[in-house]
Amino acid sequence: MNDLIHREKWYIRWYNYNKYSIPVIFTTIGTLIFTLFLDFRTGDINFQSHISAINVLTNQMVGFYLFCIYIIAIIQLFNSMAFSRKRSPISLILFTVLNALQILLVYLYVNVFYNEVEIRPDNFVIPSFGIFSMNIMMTGAVFYIIATIFAWFYVDWKYVKIEE
């Protein structure tokens, strides 16, 4: 009797139903990782991350890198939603270019910390919140890379825009 009623496993059903949303899921996770870990201070809690990390550096461009990372993360969240709906090659190219720019900015952001160690070898050590900030940025970048790979799998190369 079980052979007559064959049901797909839940994860196969989930994948078949949601496969075009996988880039959105990974982009959302990456965006949350990028944007949730801002510095804050309330009562006895003093959470230090990105802002505290860039305040100990002498390089002024690192603030611009952080700003661009945040802006691109928010843009990519909406861009990934548009891509999952249309799956057009143009959306894929925009998605890929912005993710590549995001990866470059994360690389530049992390590189500033290591350059600071080389510039001031006798009196600068990357603080623990600086290492935490770099790890957050690299983790978010990994999720963006995974989202880009999945987007390339699910693009509709025969996409034709239909006027509504």
Side-chain angles (χ1 to χ4, degrees):
M1 188 71 168
N2 268 346
D3 294 334
L4 295 176
I5 305 172
H6 177 69
R7 290 183 46 144
E8 288 181 320
K9 297 192 188 288
W10 69 269
Y11 52 86
I12 294 173
R13 255 191 346 266
W14 181 90
Y15 174 77
N16 288 333
Y17 183 74
N18 292 311
K19 64 183 173 184
Y20 301 121
S21 298
I22 291 174
V24 176
I25 293 168
F26 281 109
T27 303
T28 303
I29 293 169
T31 300
L32 289 174
I33 289 171
F34 280 132
T35 58
L36 281 181
F37 295 101
L38 273 178
D39 299 22
F40 65 89
R41 186 178 319 140
T42 52
D44 296 335
I45 299 171
N46 185 15
F47 182 74
Q48 295 178 317
S49 181
H50 307 307
I51 306 300
S52 297
I54 67 174
N55 282 336
V56 297
L57 301 172
T58 58
N59 187 330
Q60 302 299 316
M61 284 299 292
V62 71
F64 177 71
Y65 297 151
L66 183 63
F67 173 75
C68 290
I69 288 169
Y70 276 22
I71 293 296
I72 291 174
I74 293 168
I75 290 170
Q76 281 298 79
L77 183 61
F78 295 107
N79 191 26
S80 68
M81 290 177 197
F83 172 77
S84 73
R85 192 168 19 99
K86 295 180 182 178
R87 298 185 345 251
S88 73
I90 294 173
S91 294
L92 174 69
I93 291 169
L94 178 63
F95 187 71
T96 303
V97 167
L98 284 176
N99 279 348
L101 181 61
Q102 184 80 318
I103 303 305
L104 174 67
L105 287 167
V106 167
Y107 169 76
L108 293 172
Y109 178 84
V110 170
N111 198 32
V112 166
F113 287 92
Y114 293 115
N115 286 341
E116 194 77 21
V117 171
E118 290 178 9
I119 292 170
R120 303 186 303 173
D122 54 340
N123 62 353
F124 182 76
V125 176
I126 300 174
S128 60
F129 50 84
I131 293 171
F132 181 68
S133 176
M134 290 188 303
N135 287 335
I136 287 170
M137 292 300 176
M138 290 184 283
T139 304
V142 167
F143 277 99
Y144 272 39
I145 290 169
I146 294 170
T148 305
I149 291 169
F150 275 107
W152 276 89
F153 283 133
Y154 301 130
V155 67
D156 181 10
W157 293 107
K158 297 175 182 161
Y159 174 78
V160 176
K161 184 174 181 177
I162 299 171
E163 295 295 326
E164 295 180 17

